[in-house]
Amino acid sequence: MIRTEQLTKRFGEKTAVAPLDLDIPEGTFFCFLGPNGAGKTTTIKMLTGLLRPSGGKVTVGGIDIQVEPVAAKRLLGYVPDHPFLYDKLTGREFMRFVAGLYQL
């Protein structure tokens, strides 16, 4: 389960993600749709712990990603839209890299 409570991200005076409340049950297929600049990638980066929110809270499987980031990230998988490491690592090296990040 992924839950956000008043999740917000500001860059200076610009609000990229207005207070967002989500409750996505386990096993649910969920996607973000919207135009460029709508905050989709920013929200996903906050959900995965790659970007710190300006306000609000994210829990993954009941674990607060800011309080226990490694435990929460063990429940997630994330493939960025610009995978800069793929050209530099073999498949095995990339898997070891990701496993190390999540302490697996």
Side-chain angles (χ1 to χ4, degrees):
M1 171 188 35
I2 297 173
R3 176 174 287 151
T4 69
E5 299 170 22
Q6 297 294 296
L7 185 64
T8 307
K9 182 62 181 176
R10 287 181 294 283
F11 296 99
E13 296 296 316
K14 170 84 171 148
T15 299
V17 177
L20 176 64
D21 292 315
L22 287 176
D23 192 358
I24 305 168
E26 183 177 344
T28 300
F29 180 84
F30 183 87
C31 64
F32 290 100
L33 298 174
N36 289 344
K40 301 178 300 291
T41 300
T42 300
T43 299
I44 290 169
K45 286 183 177 182
M46 289 189 291
L47 295 177
T48 59
L50 295 174
L51 190 60
R52 183 174 291 278
S54 301
K57 179 179 177 180
V58 175
T59 57
V60 178
I63 301 167
D64 187 319
I65 198 149
Q66 296 299 316
V67 175
E68 298 180 76
V70 173
K73 289 176 185 179
R74 283 188 180 130
L75 303 174
L76 295 170
Y78 171 68
V79 178
D81 54 352
H82 297 289
F84 62 92
L85 289 176
Y86 296 156
D87 292 340
K88 296 171 179 47
L89 300 176
T90 67
R92 183 179 303 272
E93 289 169 334
F94 183 72
M95 286 176 44
R96 285 186 177 146
F97 171 75
V98 172
L101 290 175
Y102 292 94
Q103 297 180 353
L104 300 175

XYZ file of all heavy atoms in Angstrom:
802
model
N 0.836 -1.170 0.000
C 0.000 0.000 0.000
C 0.889 1.246 0.000
O 1.904 1.296 0.679
C -0.907 0.013 1.223
C -1.618 1.319 1.357
S -2.580 1.642 2.853
C -1.723 0.868 4.146
N 0.496 2.221 -0.778
C 1.183 3.517 -0.795
C 0.179 4.572 -0.361
O -0.940 4.624 -0.867
C 1.713 3.847 -2.207
C 2.751 2.806 -2.635
C 2.314 5.246 -2.244
C 3.197 2.951 -4.072
N 0.605 5.405 0.573
C -0.286 6.455 1.068
C 0.487 7.771 1.147
O 1.631 7.796 1.605
C -0.817 6.094 2.449
C -1.678 7.202 3.050
C -2.310 6.782 4.349
N -3.370 5.843 4.012
C -3.779 4.859 4.802
N -3.217 4.660 5.963
N -4.742 4.057 4.423
N -0.135 8.829 0.689
C 0.427 10.160 0.883
C -0.575 10.990 1.663
O -1.782 10.830 1.505
C 0.755 10.883 -0.448
O -0.451 11.207 -1.130
C 1.635 10.026 -1.344
N -0.031 11.853 2.492
C -0.863 12.766 3.275
C -0.320 14.173 3.085
O 0.798 14.461 3.512
C -0.838 12.378 4.756
C -1.372 10.992 5.027
C -1.118 10.544 6.455
O -0.915 11.391 7.343
O -1.102 9.316 6.677
N -1.072 14.989 2.381
C -0.700 16.391 2.147
C 0.715 16.520 1.545
O 1.448 17.457 1.848
C -0.816 17.203 3.439
C -2.229 17.290 3.989
C -3.137 18.069 3.052
O -2.918 19.245 2.831
N -4.150 17.421 2.490
N 1.072 15.567 0.693
C 2.390 15.562 0.065
C 2.545 16.788 -0.826
O 1.712 17.044 -1.689
C 2.577 14.287 -0.759
C 3.951 14.069 -1.375
C 5.000 13.902 -0.285
C 3.919 12.856 -2.289
N 3.609 17.538 -0.614
C 3.818 18.807 -1.308
C 5.283 18.943 -1.684
O 6.166 18.510 -0.947
C 3.448 19.994 -0.394
O 2.131 19.785 0.105
C 3.510 21.315 -1.122
N 5.530 19.548 -2.846
C 6.905 19.873 -3.225
C 6.919 21.260 -3.855
O 6.159 21.557 -4.773
C 7.470 18.852 -4.217
C 8.916 19.125 -4.586
C 9.817 19.044 -3.363
C 11.266 19.331 -3.691
N 12.096 19.330 -2.503
N 7.793 22.107 -3.294
C 7.999 23.455 -3.826
C 9.460 23.615 -4.199
O 10.352 23.104 -3.525
C 7.609 24.500 -2.781
C 6.106 24.630 -2.581
C 5.749 25.701 -1.556
N 6.184 25.365 -0.206
C 5.574 24.496 0.591
N 4.504 23.859 0.176
N 6.035 24.273 1.803
N 9.691 24.321 -5.271
C 11.028 24.724 -5.683
C 11.014 26.246 -5.663
O 10.511 26.872 -6.595
C 11.366 24.198 -7.081
C 11.417 22.691 -7.160
C 10.332 21.964 -7.639
C 12.545 22.005 -6.749
C 10.385 20.587 -7.721
C 12.599 20.615 -6.813
C 11.519 19.908 -7.306
N 11.488 26.832 -4.571
C 11.393 28.280 -4.410
C 9.934 28.685 -4.327
O 9.166 28.149 -3.536
N 9.547 29.606 -5.179
C 8.151 30.076 -5.208
C 7.239 29.163 -6.019
O 6.016 29.284 -5.962
C 8.099 31.498 -5.794
C 8.829 32.536 -4.950
C 8.186 32.719 -3.586
O 6.941 32.792 -3.509
O 8.941 32.763 -2.594
N 7.812 28.234 -6.789
C 7.050 27.347 -7.675
C 6.578 26.111 -6.916
O 7.376 25.390 -6.312
C 7.937 26.931 -8.852
C 7.385 25.839 -9.716
C 6.454 26.382 -10.747
C 6.108 25.261 -11.724
N 4.811 25.383 -12.245
N 5.269 25.870 -6.930
C 4.714 24.658 -6.333
C 4.605 23.608 -7.425
O 3.798 23.749 -8.344
C 3.338 24.919 -5.697
O 3.483 25.899 -4.667
C 2.751 23.646 -5.103
N 5.427 22.578 -7.337
C 5.432 21.506 -8.339
C 4.349 20.472 -8.040
O 3.762 19.897 -8.951
C 6.797 20.844 -8.389
N 4.127 20.209 -6.747
C 3.083 19.270 -6.329
C 2.310 19.936 -5.200
O 2.862 20.212 -4.140
C 3.682 17.928 -5.851
C 2.589 16.993 -5.358
C 4.491 17.265 -6.959
N 1.041 20.221 -5.473
C 0.155 20.800 -4.462
C -0.214 19.693 -3.477
O -0.061 18.506 -3.794
C -1.084 21.383 -5.123
N -0.682 20.034 -2.277
C -0.996 18.993 -1.300
C -1.783 17.831 -1.920
O -2.847 18.032 -2.494
C -1.819 19.732 -0.249
C -1.280 21.131 -0.302
C -0.996 21.364 -1.769
N -1.191 16.647 -1.831
C -1.724 15.461 -2.495
C -1.996 14.375 -1.475
O -1.109 13.982 -0.703
C -0.699 14.956 -3.529
C -1.016 13.670 -4.267
C -2.263 13.835 -5.138
C 0.181 13.254 -5.117
N -3.230 13.889 -1.460
C -3.618 12.758 -0.619
C -3.947 11.587 -1.528
O -4.842 11.683 -2.373
C -4.860 13.096 0.221
C -4.575 14.148 1.272
O -3.542 14.042 1.954
O -5.383 15.078 1.404
N -3.196 10.493 -1.387
C -3.435 9.267 -2.149
C -3.531 8.103 -1.183
O -2.858 8.084 -0.156
C -2.267 8.965 -3.095
C -2.074 9.793 -4.337
C -0.797 9.358 -5.044
C -3.253 9.653 -5.260
N -4.313 7.119 -1.549
C -4.381 5.868 -0.810
C -4.490 4.768 -1.856
O -5.568 4.542 -2.406
C -5.568 5.864 0.134
C -5.522 4.724 1.132
O -4.583 3.899 1.064
O -6.415 4.662 1.984
N -3.375 4.119 -2.154
C -3.335 3.096 -3.197
C -3.205 1.741 -2.508
O -2.155 1.423 -1.948
C -2.140 3.327 -4.151
C -2.192 4.753 -4.717
C -2.151 2.287 -5.264
C -0.933 5.173 -5.431
N -4.252 0.935 -2.531
C -4.211 -0.365 -1.847
C -3.215 -1.332 -2.504
O -2.919 -1.229 -3.693
C -5.639 -0.899 -1.996
C -6.469 0.288 -2.353
C -5.572 1.218 -3.087
N -2.740 -2.275 -1.716
C -1.837 -3.312 -2.217
C -2.486 -4.044 -3.382
O -3.678 -4.331 -3.371
C -1.523 -4.294 -1.091
C -0.543 -5.361 -1.474
C -0.199 -6.273 -0.307
O -0.486 -5.911 0.850
O 0.350 -7.351 -0.564
N -1.695 -4.327 -4.414
C -2.180 -5.076 -5.568
C -2.916 -4.247 -6.599
O -3.382 -4.772 -7.599
N -3.017 -2.955 -6.372
C -3.721 -2.069 -7.292
C -2.789 -1.583 -8.381
O -1.642 -1.218 -8.113
C -4.287 -0.849 -6.531
O -5.188 -1.305 -5.546
C -5.003 0.106 -7.464
N -3.263 -1.587 -9.622
C -2.519 -0.985 -10.728
C -2.886 0.487 -10.752
O -4.053 0.838 -10.849
C -2.895 -1.652 -12.055
C -2.168 -1.077 -13.230
C -0.897 -1.515 -13.548
C -2.749 -0.091 -14.009
C -0.212 -0.970 -14.628
C -2.078 0.452 -15.085
C -0.803 0.005 -15.394
N -1.889 1.341 -10.633
C -2.122 2.776 -10.537
C -1.127 3.482 -11.438
O 0.034 3.076 -11.523
C -1.935 3.234 -9.087
C -2.216 4.683 -8.860
C -3.503 5.106 -8.579
C -1.207 5.617 -8.946
C -3.775 6.450 -8.366
C -1.466 6.961 -8.740
C -2.754 7.380 -8.454
N -1.565 4.513 -12.128
C -0.633 5.284 -12.953
C -0.972 6.765 -12.875
O -2.085 7.146 -12.531
C -0.643 4.805 -14.396
S -2.197 5.028 -15.255
N 0.032 7.571 -13.157
C -0.133 9.018 -13.219
C -0.243 9.417 -14.676
O 0.603 9.035 -15.492
C 1.075 9.742 -12.603
C 1.187 9.597 -11.129
C 2.057 8.678 -10.572
C 0.422 10.380 -10.277
C 2.180 8.541 -9.208
C 0.527 10.255 -8.903
C 1.403 9.331 -8.372
N -1.256 10.186 -15.004
C -1.426 10.719 -16.354
C -1.516 12.230 -16.260
O -2.127 12.767 -15.341
C -2.710 10.180 -16.996
C -2.802 8.677 -17.206
C -4.195 8.306 -17.717
C -1.742 8.204 -18.180
N -0.914 12.917 -17.218
C -1.004 14.367 -17.240
C 0.032 14.951 -18.162
O 0.957 14.272 -18.602
N -0.102 16.217 -18.449
C 0.836 16.878 -19.363
C 2.202 17.089 -18.715
O 2.351 16.962 -17.490
C 0.152 18.215 -19.650
C -0.674 18.479 -18.437
C -1.146 17.118 -17.970
N 3.175 17.409 -19.544
C 4.501 17.748 -19.027
C 4.368 18.888 -18.021
O 3.602 19.826 -18.234
C 5.431 18.178 -20.163
C 5.822 17.026 -21.056
O 5.652 15.865 -20.695
N 6.324 17.336 -22.227
N 5.118 18.764 -16.930
C 5.098 19.814 -15.916
C 3.981 19.687 -14.900
O 3.826 20.542 -14.037
N 3.212 18.599 -14.961
C 2.086 18.427 -14.039
C 2.517 17.929 -12.660
O 1.716 17.948 -11.730
C 1.051 17.468 -14.635
N 3.769 17.450 -12.528
C 4.252 16.974 -11.234
C 4.315 15.464 -11.099
O 4.576 14.948 -10.008
N 4.117 14.738 -12.193
C 4.114 13.266 -12.135
C 5.468 12.713 -11.670
O 5.525 11.944 -10.714
C 3.776 12.680 -13.516
C 2.432 13.112 -14.074
C 2.177 12.543 -15.463
C 3.212 12.959 -16.484
N 3.203 14.360 -16.875
N 6.538 13.103 -12.342
C 7.866 12.599 -12.000
C 8.292 13.073 -10.620
O 8.869 12.301 -9.836
C 8.900 13.026 -13.065
O 8.485 12.490 -14.330
C 10.286 12.530 -12.729
N 7.987 14.303 -10.283
C 8.320 14.827 -8.956
C 7.621 14.005 -7.878
O 8.230 13.634 -6.869
C 7.931 16.314 -8.851
O 8.655 17.043 -9.844
C 8.231 16.878 -7.477
N 6.349 13.674 -8.096
C 5.607 12.865 -7.128
C 6.226 11.480 -6.998
O 6.448 10.991 -5.882
C 4.129 12.747 -7.541
O 3.557 14.058 -7.578
C 3.344 11.873 -6.577
N 6.547 10.843 -8.114
C 7.137 9.505 -8.072
C 8.476 9.539 -7.348
O 8.786 8.650 -6.548
C 7.263 8.918 -9.491
C 5.858 8.605 -10.025
C 8.138 7.666 -9.489
C 5.814 8.271 -11.500
N 9.271 10.565 -7.589
C 10.559 10.671 -6.894
C 10.366 10.846 -5.391
O 11.161 10.343 -4.598
C 11.395 11.800 -7.486
C 11.963 11.434 -8.843
C 12.840 12.522 -9.392
C 13.448 12.078 -10.724
N 14.353 13.088 -11.270
N 9.317 11.533 -4.971
C 9.040 11.644 -3.533
C 8.548 10.308 -2.981
O 8.916 9.917 -1.868
C 8.031 12.753 -3.260
C 8.594 14.137 -3.474
S 7.501 15.461 -2.918
C 6.157 15.355 -4.101
N 7.715 9.582 -3.751
C 7.214 8.283 -3.305
C 8.339 7.275 -3.113
O 8.257 6.400 -2.255
C 6.208 7.717 -4.322
C 4.902 8.465 -4.520
C 4.077 7.799 -5.608
C 4.121 8.565 -3.234
N 9.389 7.394 -3.917
C 10.497 6.442 -3.852
C 11.637 6.910 -2.955
O 12.635 6.212 -2.813
C 11.056 6.161 -5.261
O 11.497 7.388 -5.850
C 10.005 5.511 -6.142
N 11.504 8.087 -2.377
C 12.538 8.589 -1.487
C 13.707 9.243 -2.194
O 14.722 9.559 -1.564
N 13.602 9.459 -3.483
C 14.684 10.106 -4.234
C 14.649 11.620 -4.102
O 15.635 12.287 -4.407
C 14.602 9.720 -5.716
C 14.832 8.246 -6.016
C 14.578 7.964 -7.487
C 16.235 7.833 -5.617
N 13.527 12.148 -3.670
C 13.363 13.587 -3.515
C 12.616 13.826 -2.204
O 11.597 13.181 -1.937
C 12.562 14.140 -4.704
C 12.452 15.626 -4.888
C 13.825 16.264 -5.074
C 11.606 15.919 -6.128
N 13.125 14.727 -1.398
C 12.506 15.028 -0.102
C 11.320 15.976 -0.313
O 11.456 17.007 -0.955
C 13.518 15.656 0.835
C 12.969 15.928 2.236
C 14.033 16.426 3.177
N 15.002 15.390 3.497
C 14.816 14.464 4.426
N 13.711 14.445 5.140
N 15.743 13.556 4.670
N 10.168 15.640 0.252
C 9.009 16.534 0.136
C 9.228 17.841 0.893
O 9.964 17.885 1.877
C 7.867 15.751 0.790
C 8.366 14.377 1.025
C 9.847 14.420 0.984
N 8.571 18.890 0.436
C 8.562 20.159 1.177
C 7.605 20.066 2.347
O 7.749 20.772 3.343
C 8.139 21.304 0.262
O 9.017 21.421 -0.831
N 6.610 19.198 2.206
C 5.633 19.003 3.263
C 4.899 17.702 3.055
O 4.939 17.117 1.969
N 4.250 17.234 4.079
C 3.461 16.016 3.980
C 4.262 14.773 4.280
O 5.396 14.834 4.752
N 3.646 13.634 3.980
C 4.189 12.350 4.400
C 3.897 11.289 3.349
O 2.843 11.314 2.706
C 3.534 11.973 5.720
C 3.938 10.676 6.328
C 3.204 10.487 7.657
C 3.524 9.162 8.293
N 2.830 8.988 9.553
N 4.840 10.353 3.182
C 4.662 9.194 2.310
C 4.892 7.940 3.137
O 5.902 7.836 3.839
C 5.678 9.193 1.140
C 5.555 7.904 0.323
C 5.518 10.403 0.254
N 3.968 6.983 3.053
C 4.198 5.677 3.664
C 4.043 4.614 2.586
O 3.172 4.695 1.730
C 3.237 5.385 4.838
O 1.892 5.491 4.391
C 3.469 6.332 5.995
N 4.932 3.633 2.661
C 4.917 2.492 1.747
C 4.805 1.249 2.620
O 5.673 1.008 3.455
C 6.204 2.449 0.898
C 6.205 1.233 -0.010
C 6.374 3.722 0.091
N 3.723 0.510 2.464
C 3.521 -0.657 3.314
C 3.469 -0.294 4.780
O 3.903 -1.066 5.630
N 3.000 0.909 5.089
C 2.915 1.375 6.466
C 4.208 1.951 7.014
O 4.274 2.353 8.167
N 5.252 2.004 6.180
C 6.563 2.502 6.618
C 6.776 3.901 6.068
O 6.655 4.132 4.864
C 7.690 1.573 6.121
C 7.478 0.153 6.647
C 9.052 2.109 6.524
C 8.356 -0.886 5.971
N 7.086 4.838 6.940
C 7.363 6.224 6.532
C 8.700 6.262 5.804
O 9.734 5.911 6.374
C 7.407 7.132 7.763
C 7.524 8.602 7.421
O 8.284 8.954 6.497
O 6.871 9.406 8.105
N 8.692 6.674 4.553
C 9.904 6.627 3.733
C 10.978 7.607 4.202
O 12.162 7.398 3.948
C 9.582 6.816 2.235
C 10.746 6.326 1.385
C 9.235 8.256 1.927
C 10.375 5.781 0.062
N 10.592 8.646 4.935
C 11.585 9.583 5.471
C 12.203 9.076 6.768
O 13.354 9.353 7.063
C 10.959 10.963 5.702
C 10.484 11.649 4.438
C 11.617 11.909 3.456
O 12.702 12.348 3.836
N 11.382 11.624 2.193
N 11.443 8.301 7.532
C 11.912 7.791 8.823
C 12.722 6.506 8.649
O 13.775 6.338 9.266
C 10.724 7.561 9.784
C 11.185 6.926 11.092
C 9.996 8.873 10.046
N 12.236 5.590 7.817
C 12.898 4.308 7.571
C 13.054 4.089 6.068
O 12.396 3.218 5.483
C 12.092 3.172 8.168
C 11.922 3.237 9.679
C 11.115 2.071 10.193
O 11.690 0.961 10.269
O 9.929 2.273 10.478
N 13.927 4.869 5.414
C 14.009 4.814 3.955
C 14.417 3.455 3.387
O 13.848 3.008 2.386
C 15.035 5.889 3.600
C 15.788 6.162 4.847
C 14.863 5.843 5.970
N 15.349 2.772 4.006
C 15.801 1.490 3.461
C 14.682 0.457 3.556
O 14.414 -0.277 2.597
C 17.091 1.001 4.158
C 17.458 -0.403 3.709
C 18.233 1.967 3.868
N 14.000 0.394 4.684
C 12.902 -0.566 4.851
C 11.787 -0.300 3.846
O 11.250 -1.232 3.243
C 12.364 -0.506 6.280
N 11.450 0.965 3.635
C 10.389 1.303 2.681
C 10.826 0.988 1.257
O 10.046 0.446 0.461
C 10.018 2.777 2.817
N 12.070 1.297 0.915
C 12.560 1.069 -0.449
C 12.657 -0.407 -0.794
O 12.620 -0.770 -1.969
C 13.911 1.761 -0.641
C 13.778 3.268 -0.687
C 15.137 3.923 -0.775
C 15.013 5.428 -0.688
N 16.330 6.076 -0.757
N 12.753 -1.255 0.213
C 12.761 -2.705 -0.052
C 11.438 -3.169 -0.662
O 11.375 -4.223 -1.277
C 13.030 -3.471 1.229
C 14.452 -3.451 1.654
C 14.684 -4.393 2.827
N 16.074 -4.342 3.202
C 16.511 -4.168 4.434
N 15.646 -4.060 5.430
N 17.793 -4.126 4.692
N 10.400 -2.391 -0.477
C 9.078 -2.747 -0.987
C 8.799 -2.161 -2.363
O 7.731 -2.386 -2.926
C 8.000 -2.257 -0.008
C 8.121 -2.778 1.424
C 7.085 -2.111 2.309
C 7.982 -4.293 1.456
N 9.753 -1.397 -2.895
C 9.540 -0.679 -4.146
C 10.494 -1.127 -5.242
O 11.576 -1.623 -4.967
C 9.783 0.825 -3.940
C 8.847 1.575 -3.025
C 9.394 2.974 -2.768
C 7.465 1.647 -3.646
N 10.078 -0.896 -6.462
C 10.953 -1.007 -7.622
C 10.764 0.250 -8.441
O 9.645 0.739 -8.587
N 11.850 0.808 -8.955
C 11.757 2.050 -9.709
C 12.749 2.006 -10.862
O 13.931 1.727 -10.652
C 12.069 3.241 -8.793
C 12.202 4.564 -9.516
C 11.098 5.170 -10.115
C 13.424 5.212 -9.597
C 11.218 6.375 -10.771
C 13.549 6.428 -10.241
C 12.441 6.998 -10.834
O 12.563 8.194 -11.487
N 12.255 2.244 -12.070
C 13.109 2.343 -13.248
C 12.940 3.755 -13.787
O 11.853 4.123 -14.232
C 12.726 1.309 -14.327
C 13.612 1.468 -15.561
C 12.819 -0.102 -13.770
N 13.994 4.574 -13.726
C 13.874 5.964 -14.182
C 13.680 6.051 -15.690
O 14.037 5.131 -16.427
C 15.203 6.592 -13.762
C 16.147 5.456 -13.654
C 15.327 4.259 -13.247
N 13.115 7.159 -16.129
C 12.872 7.331 -17.561
C 14.144 7.627 -18.340
O 14.188 7.470 -19.542
C 11.814 8.401 -17.825
C 12.111 9.729 -17.167
O 13.049 9.806 -16.373
O 11.384 10.691 -17.439
N 15.217 8.029 -17.652
C 16.516 8.244 -18.287
C 17.551 7.402 -17.547
O 18.266 7.894 -16.688
C 16.912 9.726 -18.246
C 15.978 10.595 -19.002
N 15.916 10.588 -20.366
C 15.042 11.483 -18.594
C 14.988 11.442 -20.772
N 14.441 11.989 -19.711
N 17.612 6.104 -17.866
C 18.488 5.183 -17.130
C 19.954 5.343 -17.533
O 20.465 4.616 -18.363
C 17.938 3.814 -17.521
C 17.363 4.029 -18.883
C 16.850 5.443 -18.897
N 20.651 6.284 -16.921
C 22.012 6.618 -17.305
C 23.030 5.518 -17.022
O 24.112 5.526 -17.585
C 22.452 7.921 -16.633
C 22.467 7.855 -15.141
C 23.621 7.494 -14.463
C 21.331 8.143 -14.404
C 23.635 7.419 -13.081
C 21.344 8.073 -13.024
C 22.501 7.712 -12.365
N 22.720 4.559 -16.163
C 23.690 3.517 -15.827
C 23.669 2.334 -16.783
O 24.630 1.575 -16.851
C 23.440 2.990 -14.409
C 23.787 3.916 -13.263
C 23.386 3.287 -11.947
C 25.271 4.237 -13.269
N 22.599 2.135 -17.527
C 22.464 0.931 -18.340
C 23.585 0.785 -19.364
O 24.026 -0.327 -19.644
C 21.123 0.902 -19.053
C 19.929 0.819 -18.136
C 18.690 1.256 -18.551
C 20.036 0.309 -16.847
C 17.590 1.185 -17.718
C 18.949 0.239 -16.005
C 17.719 0.680 -16.456
O 16.637 0.601 -15.634
N 24.044 1.862 -19.948
C 25.105 1.777 -20.944
C 26.464 1.489 -20.325
O 27.396 1.110 -21.027
C 25.198 3.084 -21.746
C 23.985 3.313 -22.622
O 23.272 2.337 -22.912
O 23.750 4.467 -23.009
N 26.599 1.671 -19.033
C 27.892 1.536 -18.376
C 28.049 0.239 -17.584
O 29.151 -0.139 -17.230
C 28.124 2.738 -17.453
C 28.203 4.048 -18.221
C 28.213 5.236 -17.284
C 28.307 6.549 -17.978
N 27.443 6.786 -19.102
N 26.939 -0.441 -17.274
C 26.976 -1.657 -16.469
C 26.369 -2.826 -17.233
O 25.444 -2.642 -18.025
C 26.181 -1.470 -15.169
C 26.615 -0.369 -14.212
C 25.639 -0.282 -13.049
C 28.021 -0.607 -13.708
N 26.867 -4.033 -16.939
C 26.205 -5.225 -17.464
C 24.914 -5.429 -16.667
O 24.713 -4.804 -15.614
C 27.100 -6.467 -17.296
O 27.240 -6.747 -15.892
C 28.465 -6.266 -17.957
N 24.058 -6.313 -17.121
C 22.827 -6.617 -16.387
C 23.110 -7.096 -14.981
O 22.478 -6.671 -14.014
N 24.116 -7.964 -14.844
C 24.493 -8.500 -13.527
C 25.017 -7.381 -12.616
O 24.679 -7.301 -11.440
C 25.536 -9.591 -13.677
C 25.925 -10.253 -12.357
C 26.963 -11.350 -12.563
N 26.516 -12.365 -13.492
C 25.817 -13.446 -13.155
N 25.492 -13.639 -11.894
N 25.443 -14.324 -14.052
N 25.868 -6.506 -13.170
C 26.413 -5.400 -12.384
C 25.302 -4.460 -11.919
O 25.317 -3.999 -10.775
C 27.435 -4.609 -13.210
C 28.727 -5.340 -13.456
C 29.612 -4.666 -14.480
O 29.104 -3.932 -15.366
O 30.836 -4.879 -14.417
N 24.323 -4.204 -12.798
C 23.216 -3.328 -12.419
C 22.387 -3.960 -11.308
O 22.007 -3.281 -10.350
C 22.340 -2.996 -13.629
C 21.229 -2.051 -13.294
C 21.491 -0.719 -13.031
C 19.921 -2.496 -13.216
C 20.476 0.167 -12.706
C 18.901 -1.618 -12.886
C 19.179 -0.287 -12.639
N 22.108 -5.265 -11.414
C 21.337 -5.949 -10.363
C 22.070 -5.894 -9.029
O 21.467 -5.654 -7.991
C 21.056 -7.394 -10.762
C 19.990 -7.501 -11.834
S 19.692 -9.175 -12.444
C 19.641 -10.146 -10.987
N 23.395 -6.085 -9.046
C 24.166 -6.004 -7.809
C 24.145 -4.587 -7.243
O 24.069 -4.393 -6.027
C 25.599 -6.456 -8.049
C 25.719 -7.948 -8.184
C 27.166 -8.386 -8.268
N 27.225 -9.833 -8.315
C 28.133 -10.501 -8.988
N 29.071 -9.868 -9.660
N 28.123 -11.808 -8.982
N 24.230 -3.609 -8.122
C 24.171 -2.212 -7.701
C 22.848 -1.926 -6.988
O 22.824 -1.381 -5.885
C 24.353 -1.284 -8.910
C 24.091 0.151 -8.631
C 25.004 0.926 -7.917
C 22.935 0.758 -9.089
C 24.763 2.253 -7.649
C 22.692 2.102 -8.828
C 23.614 2.845 -8.111
N 21.745 -2.306 -7.618
C 20.423 -2.050 -7.030
C 20.256 -2.837 -5.728
O 19.756 -2.297 -4.739
C 19.308 -2.388 -8.038
C 17.931 -2.327 -7.381
C 19.365 -1.437 -9.234
N 20.695 -4.079 -5.702
C 20.605 -4.889 -4.476
C 21.391 -4.241 -3.346
O 20.946 -4.219 -2.193
C 21.114 -6.300 -4.728
N 22.532 -3.662 -3.669
C 23.317 -2.958 -2.648
C 22.611 -1.734 -2.115
O 22.658 -1.457 -0.916
N 21.937 -1.002 -2.996
C 21.183 0.172 -2.552
C 20.103 -0.190 -1.550
O 19.831 0.557 -0.609
C 20.531 0.878 -3.747
C 21.443 1.590 -4.722
C 20.628 2.113 -5.897
C 22.172 2.734 -4.046
N 19.465 -1.333 -1.775
C 18.367 -1.753 -0.918
C 18.822 -2.721 0.186
O 18.013 -3.310 0.869
C 17.260 -2.388 -1.765
C 16.582 -1.385 -2.653
C 16.993 -1.186 -3.953
C 15.527 -0.618 -2.174
C 16.384 -0.252 -4.772
C 14.908 0.328 -2.976
C 15.332 0.488 -4.275
O 14.719 1.424 -5.066
N 20.122 -2.895 0.311
C 20.716 -3.788 1.317
C 20.127 -5.184 1.251
O 19.762 -5.778 2.255
C 20.579 -3.187 2.715
C 21.312 -1.892 2.861
C 21.194 -1.287 4.248
O 20.447 -1.779 5.090
N 21.939 -0.243 4.493
N 20.040 -5.727 0.022
C 19.517 -7.093 -0.176
C 20.655 -8.077 -0.323
O 21.700 -7.752 -0.804
C 18.641 -7.145 -1.438
C 17.424 -6.230 -1.434
C 16.720 -6.301 -2.776
C 16.467 -6.634 -0.330
